Amino acid sequence: VGEISAGQLAGLVAGRHFPLCMSVMYERLASEHHLKHWGLQQFSLFLKSIGLPLEQALLFFRQQFAPRTPGDKFNKEYAYNVRYNYGQEGKRQDWSEWSCVKIINQEVGGACAGAGECNGGCPYKTYSAEQLRAALSRLNCNDKVIREVVDKARGKHYQLACGLAFEGITGSPQETGINKPSEYYASSIELAT
Ligand code: SF4
């Protein structure tokens, strides 16, 4: 997976290459012009892992947070977190994206299940069956597969549900299993190229 730019993100979402946790976060960010703290952490580390460089990440979030958060306020209150995730602040550690297990166990998230700003999380865990059906239909997931995904999610097999959704959306099985959101993305990009 190579480097990507902020300008490519909308196309990647429209191309259905993001797992559900990240596509709903992208949409909610676009409509609310804000993410709560853990949502921003989860999403920016994912974008880093799929090849978005720091400067492009700052550009993207600054644009998305506007006009609700003016650029100077963004620079003061949010840029630090993004720079931190890229190892440019604080401990200067090269942080990795959150694993699915970490996202699933994220207590304060809700994966945009409620209205308003999003705070991260896995929709296969936090969405109602109805919300899940609606979200997957919007991604043109095959109807029969949607029923299987909802069953898996009800049985608390969230990562298996995500893998099945991949198959229902792309028409091809995801063979390796999904342990990190970037694995979903990489498999989807591989199919498309
Ligand atoms: Fe995201 Fe992982 Fe949940 Fe899939 S299983 S939606 S990649 S957290």
Side-chain angles (χ1 to χ4, degrees), residues 42-172:
Q42 181 183 320
F43 195 36
S44 62
L45 284 169
F46 166 73
L47 295 178
K48 176 188 174 193
S49 74
I50 65 169
L52 189 71
L54 173 60
E55 287 316 311
Q56 290 292 306
L58 288 169
L59 175 72
F60 170 70
F61 284 111
R62 199 180 290 114
Q63 281 172 345
Q64 294 291 315
F65 273 53
R68 193 171 154 181
T69 305
D72 52 342
K73 190 169 181 224
F74 175 87
N75 290 342
K76 263 187 229 136
E77 294 179 17
Y78 301 98
Y80 180 93
N81 288 345
V82 178
R83 290 172 50 79
Y84 183 90
N85 287 342
Y86 279 76
Q88 297 299 313
E89 300 283 0
K91 289 186 199 164
R92 292 188 170 265
Q93 212 170 303
D94 191 19
W95 302 96
S96 303
E97 73 175 304
W98 289 8
S99 66
C100 292
V101 168
K102 183 174 165 81
I103 293 171
I104 287 163
N105 292 329
Q106 159 83 328
E107 291 299 329
V108 293
C112 318
E117 298 162 26
C118 188
N119 206 14
C122 174
Y124 296 104
K125 179 179 179 187
T126 62
Y127 274 23
S128 67
E130 212 169 294
Q131 281 179 306
L132 210 45
R133 274 193 286 270
L136 292 170
S137 291
R138 281 198 298 277
L139 295 170
N140 294 330
C141 183
N142 170 300
D143 282 341
K144 179 176 165 283
V145 177
I146 291 181
R147 285 194 288 279
E148 291 169 14
V149 170
V150 170
D151 281 348
K152 280 274 180 284
R154 268 208 205 108
K156 302 191 192 312
H157 304 298
Y158 310 120
Q159 287 162 258
L160 294 179
C162 188
L164 266 178
F166 179 98
E167 189 169 341
I169 290 166
T170 64
S172 298

